[in-house]
Amino acid sequence: MSTKVFSLILLPTLQCNADCDYCFEVKTNDRLSLERLQELIDKVLDHLVEQDIAGLMIHWQGGEAMTLPPSWFARAQALIAAAAAARGRSVTHGLQTNMIGYSPKWNPVIREMFDNNVSTSLDYPNLYRRRRGQDAADYNAVWTRKVRLARAAGIEVGVIAVPNAATLELGAERFYRHFVDELGIRSFQVNTPFPGGESNQAKGLLPTGSAALIGFYIDLAEVWLARGERDGVRVGPFDELLAYFSGTPTVLPCIWTDDCANHILCIDARGHVAQCDCWVTSYPDYRFGNIFECASLSELLAASAVVERFHQRPMALVARDCIACDYLALCHGGCPVRAFSVHGTLFEKDPHCALYQALFGHLAGAAARQARASAAHSSGASGGGRGE
Ligand code: SF4
Ligand code: SF4
Ligand code: SF4
């Protein structure tokens, strides 16, 4: 059996207790029953057996995952473990939550199912995240209280942040200080913005492909290299890129995989199957099919013309746009949904191309400098030894 791990983004509910202005999901009241979860997971695991894939990583998202009760997750974990054991597969779980519904009654399931880790989202400054009928300040206050409560219970909280126009004005140093020094976050990831789903004013203001966004990312990389790396703070995608250019094994974000359709799949509470969460809820024409209406997931994927278009994208971009790029083997044309949300087609390169090139060059330079410093230190140390 291969050692490969397949990622499943699972949306067991499409309900959310928030109403963020830039949300790319169309929310509904649909929830996945445990009976349907059994059918879904049996088909996913059978697909893994057919593809000779050893492991499954389930990324639980929503809507908002914590609109389901923790007891639902405990029963889901047991059901999935039994189905995986029957097929000789291993399954691990990750939880993405806005933390608004968190209370200590979640602690046992977070410990048992999610290895005492959660990933959540907050921007700085927060312009777009809010609870229904409330403002961003209310969201910040509730989020901060819940995150502090979780951390006090020993839960590791990672944060995903999306820069907005005000973030760029504030600058990288202030942004880093807020997360690390003021909130005590030791691991966060800065995602590139994209106007996914139905357009609105907030999405129109997201910085996509601007010189200011590139400057912000490069400055933040410098802040992290100067402070965070030494202090053991992880900031994605800088830590992954530094490892990549240093020749250290790492897992790069999905936006830079060779063909995300080979490694990742998303299924929502209604059984719709698509590439990832934005596709499954907001672009119905780009769904691969429905897991509850097929005999086998392998057959569904093999018969889908949409899957085939995803597979064709990297080669099409190589032939046309990316052939001369020094980072082709790393980037593969970037993220399909970022390209689609800006250009309306899969067959354009990622709109953050210039940012990626600047980042790759910057982190490659940092890795080379670190390698030279380490070599000089070793030769200095051994030279000193010889002289004594
Ligand atoms: S961005 Fe997330 S938390 Fe906000 S409304 Fe959308 S699903 Fe809910
Ligand atoms: S479309 Fe983009 S975000 Fe979605 S899985 Fe592919 S690379 Fe990741
Ligand atoms: S950095 Fe730009 S040109 Fe290079 S592979 Fe990525 S999208 Fe293509």
Side-chain angles (χ1 to χ4, degrees):
M1 197 192 307
S2 85
T3 54
K4 271 192 348 197
V5 175
F6 192 82
S7 285
L8 172 66
I9 302 166
L10 188 49
L11 317 185
T13 169
L14 294 173
Q15 293 180 328
C16 188
N17 47 16
D19 191 19
C20 307
D21 298 329
Y22 63 7
C23 182
F24 54 58
E25 291 193 1
V26 176
K27 271 116 29 216
T28 71
N29 288 330
D30 293 288
R31 291 170 155 216
L32 191 64
S33 67
L34 287 163
E35 293 69 32
R36 285 203 134 189
L37 175 65
Q38 180 77 64
E39 181 182 347
L40 183 158
I41 209 70
D42 284 342
K43 286 179 178 168
V44 170
L45 289 166
D46 287 344
H47 175 64
L48 262 58
V49 171
E50 195 153 316
Q51 299 293 312
D52 192 31
I53 297 171
L56 178 66
M57 173 75 199
I58 304 181
H59 303 270
W60 295 87
Q61 302 183 15
E64 165 51 35
M66 285 190 182
T67 57
L68 288 166
S71 56
W72 188 93
F73 280 89
R75 290 171 66 195
Q77 183 191 16
L79 172 164
I80 292 168
R87 294 166 178 84
R89 310 290 119 169
S90 67
V91 181
T92 46
H93 303 274
L95 178 61
Q96 178 69 31
T97 165
N98 64 25
M99 291 298 279
I100 298 299
Y102 169 78
S103 71
K105 69 180 183 201
W106 279 92
N107 292 353
V109 86
I110 291 174
R111 189 172 54 244
E112 300 300 322
M113 187 169 177
F114 300 107
D115 200 21
N116 238 8
N117 282 274
V118 296
S119 171
T120 181
S121 305
L122 191 74
D123 309 330
Y124 185 68
N126 175 20
L127 300 183
Y128 303 124
R129 301 190 73 86
R130 64 188 82 239
R131 295 194 294 172
R132 203 169 298 277
Q134 303 287 336
D135 62 11
D138 158 83
Y139 190 97
N140 291 353
V142 176
W143 185 91
T144 304
R145 186 161 46 81
K146 296 296 177 91
V147 166
R148 291 203 165 121
L149 196 59
R151 294 182 69 223
I155 295 168
E156 284 290 324
V157 181
V159 174
I160 295 175
V162 179
N164 56 46
T167 311
L168 308 188
E169 276 173 31
L170 220 53
E173 169 69 31
R174 185 71 194 88
F175 179 86
Y176 185 92
R177 251 193 297 136
H178 179 68
F179 282 108
V180 177
D181 300 338
E182 292 167 10
L183 295 177
I185 301 296
R186 309 290 298 164
S187 171
F188 65 98
Q189 178 182 320
V190 190
N191 280 2
T192 48
F194 65 97
E198 209 168 293
S199 58
N200 64 19
Q201 198 194 4
K203 292 177 195 178
L205 293 173
L206 290 173
T208 308
S210 73
L213 185 67
I214 296 174
F216 171 80
Y217 264 85
I218 297 298
D219 289 351
L220 188 60
E222 275 305 303
V223 173
W224 174 71
L225 284 163
R227 292 179 52 194
E229 210 207 343
R230 180 196 61 206
D231 296 344
V233 176
R234 293 173 46 219
V235 181
F238 311 127
D239 52 348
E240 295 105 339
L241 285 176
L242 189 70
Y244 174 86
F245 288 114
S246 305
T248 308
T250 187
V251 178
L252 290 166
C254 64
I255 55 172
W256 296 320
T257 46
D258 54 348
D259 177 358
C260 59
N262 281 333
H263 315 288
I264 302 165
L265 202 64
C266 178
I267 305 179
D268 76 9
R270 299 160 295 192
H272 293 311
V273 181
Q275 185 49 47
C276 59
D277 42 349
C278 186
W279 293 107
V280 86
T281 60
S282 298
Y283 298 121
D285 293 346
Y286 284 80
R287 289 179 190 141
F288 303 158
N290 190 299
I291 198 152
F292 300 127
E293 293 165 10
C294 70
S296 110
L297 179 58
S298 301
E299 283 174 24
L300 181 156
L301 297 175
S304 165
V306 181
V307 172
E308 189 49 35
R309 282 156 79 189
F310 273 87
H311 288 323
Q312 287 165 355
R313 179 178 182 269
M315 283 315 293
L317 291 179
V318 167
R320 203 190 58 205
D321 294 318
C322 304
I323 185 74
C325 177
D326 291 342
Y327 304 108
L328 177 59
L330 162 59
C331 173
H332 311 95
C335 164
V337 81
R338 282 167 172 74
F340 185 85
S341 66
V342 170
H343 300 295
T345 169
L346 282 176
F347 294 98
E348 287 287 342
K349 61 183 179 175
D350 191 313
H352 292 292
C353 168
L355 164 60
Y356 299 162
Q357 290 196 354
L359 258 189
F360 298 155
H362 203 78
L363 272 301
R369 277 197 306 280
Q370 287 190 353
R372 279 197 300 275
S374 161
H377 182 261
S378 306
S379 71
S382 58
R386 275 196 304 275
E388 281 170 2

